[in-house]
Amino acid sequence: MTDVSENIKKMNSTLDAMLPHRSVRSFTDEPISEQMLEAILQAGRAVSTSNYMQSVSVIRITDPEQRIKFHQISNGMTQEQYNQAKSEGKKLAHPYILECPEYLVFCMDNYRHHLVEPEAQLDWMEVVIISAVDVGLYAQNVMAAAESLGLGGVYIGSMRNDIERAGEVINAPKHVVPLFGMCLGHPSDAPVNATQKPRFPLSMLVSENQYTPATQQQIDAFNKEVKDYYDKRSSQEHKAWEAQVTKTFATAVRPQVMPYLNKQGYAKR
């Protein structure tokens, strides 16, 4: 399969908006209008949902103090560590959590189902999968709708650095778990940051009838493409994709998540 042809893109404004997707981390001060935000969230609400469960809640974080707490969490810091770092003038990661016009927290939510059916067996792992898929679908519809309106955004998975504290910040009851955040706003990126990060080619992603394993040749080619991408951005990273895999998966991956899921009534069997 090859890239989508220009003729197809010209025929379809949806594809034209979706194909250039990239993460945006720098925003202007222009707010997102209430009408625009409502339209974006309505697009999320329209998404498909497993078994009609609609296992999603979205928390709009407008309180500056709560933004600070989420910034602390994403930096892996306690309030004391954060205040010390700020007093020393240290540059912290994820400043866009504080700066973006809208910060949304996406939660899997089975609290409503427990109200309807107090004996609901929400502790099965399948419920986590159902709910997490619902949240992911909802959020990506929100992102796609935002981009179609000229906005940009970035997902914040680092909220799970201290998922229990994130739950406390939003006062999440049992059967509600915050999964990730999303920054939204009007992009202000300089041209060097406006390029799309490479993705796997469809030949690595799509098989027919049976699973087709990736080859080392495909991995090597993709590693080179990623390194070239960072080189062109004059990035200090200069990392091949495989280095990012090692950084992400070679050590324990947020072991604090499972105990919190259990505490919230999930993933016990």
Side-chain angles (χ1 to χ4, degrees):
M1 296 182 181
T2 58
D3 291 340
V4 177
S5 73
E6 289 301 318
N7 286 337
I8 292 293
K9 287 194 286 186
K10 288 177 182 178
M11 292 166 55
N12 191 307
S13 60
T14 301
L15 282 175
D16 198 43
M18 294 177 71
L19 289 172
H21 167 75
R22 62 186 178 87
S23 294
V24 172
R25 296 176 174 85
S26 180
F27 306 95
T28 70
D29 294 332
E30 182 181 356
I32 298 174
S33 70
E34 290 293 329
Q35 295 86 350
M36 187 177 287
L37 181 62
E38 181 178 354
I40 291 167
L41 293 173
Q42 289 283 13
R45 194 170 72 94
V47 78
S48 301
T49 172
S50 180
N51 294 324
Y52 198 40
M53 290 297 96
Q54 304 174 85
S55 305
V56 185
S57 278
V58 183
I59 316 297
R60 183 186 180 193
I61 307 300
T62 58
D63 182 346
E65 292 301 315
Q66 284 187 257
R67 292 277 193 112
I68 290 172
K69 290 176 181 177
F70 278 113
H71 192 220
Q72 294 168 357
I73 291 168
S74 284
N75 278 278
M77 293 179 171
T78 64
Q79 183 173 329
E80 292 73 20
Q81 291 169 331
Y82 183 83
N83 291 341
Q84 179 68 26
K86 296 287 281 187
S87 68
E88 295 173 357
K90 291 183 178 178
K91 185 178 180 180
L92 300 179
H94 314 293
Y96 28 86
I97 293 174
L98 302 173
E99 301 163 355
C100 63
E102 294 291 340
Y103 185 63
L104 306 176
V105 174
F106 290 82
C107 307
M108 62 181 196
D109 182 358
N110 296 103
Y111 179 80
R112 295 178 288 251
H113 310 115
H114 179 70
L115 287 179
V116 171
E117 176 48 78
E119 300 302 317
Q121 298 183 33
L122 301 174
D123 57 342
W124 289 98
M125 190 63 201
E126 173 66 6
V127 177
V128 175
I129 296 174
I130 287 172
S131 304
V133 169
D134 268 13
V135 175
L137 292 173
Y138 190 113
Q140 190 56 33
N141 247 31
V142 166
M143 181 69 80
E147 291 174 340
S148 77
L149 295 172
L151 303 175
V154 62
Y155 286 96
I156 309 293
S158 54
M159 191 178 68
R160 297 189 301 281
N161 288 345
D162 191 341
I163 192 171
E164 183 165 5
R165 187 179 174 204
E168 291 170 355
V169 172
I170 61 170
N171 195 29
K174 192 173 183 180
H175 306 304
V176 174
V177 172
L179 293 184
F180 51 83
M182 181 189 291
C183 299
L184 289 175
H186 296 269
S188 66
D189 294 62
V192 69
N193 294 321
T195 54
Q196 188 178 42
K197 189 178 292 186
R199 299 291 197 270
F200 288 147
L202 287 182
S203 59
M204 289 179 68
L205 294 171
V206 182
S207 304
E208 188 168 341
N209 297 323
Q210 294 184 337
Y211 177 77
T212 303
T215 65
Q216 188 60 51
Q217 184 180 12
Q218 288 174 315
I219 296 294
D220 291 344
F222 187 69
N223 277 329
K224 183 180 185 305
E225 184 181 1
V226 172
K227 188 176 183 303
D228 290 346
Y229 164 81
Y230 283 120
D231 286 341
K232 289 176 183 177
R233 285 165 52 104
S234 300
S235 170
Q236 297 300 312
E237 298 179 71
H238 300 291
K239 290 180 180 177
W241 177 72
E242 61 185 10
Q244 298 179 43
V245 173
T246 299
K247 179 182 177 182
T248 301
F249 291 139
T251 58
V253 184
R254 294 191 177 117
Q256 67 275 18
V257 170
M258 181 60 81
Y260 182 67
L261 286 174
N262 294 160
K263 179 182 177 181
Q264 294 301 92
Y266 290 105
K268 295 181 180 180
R269 51 180 170 166

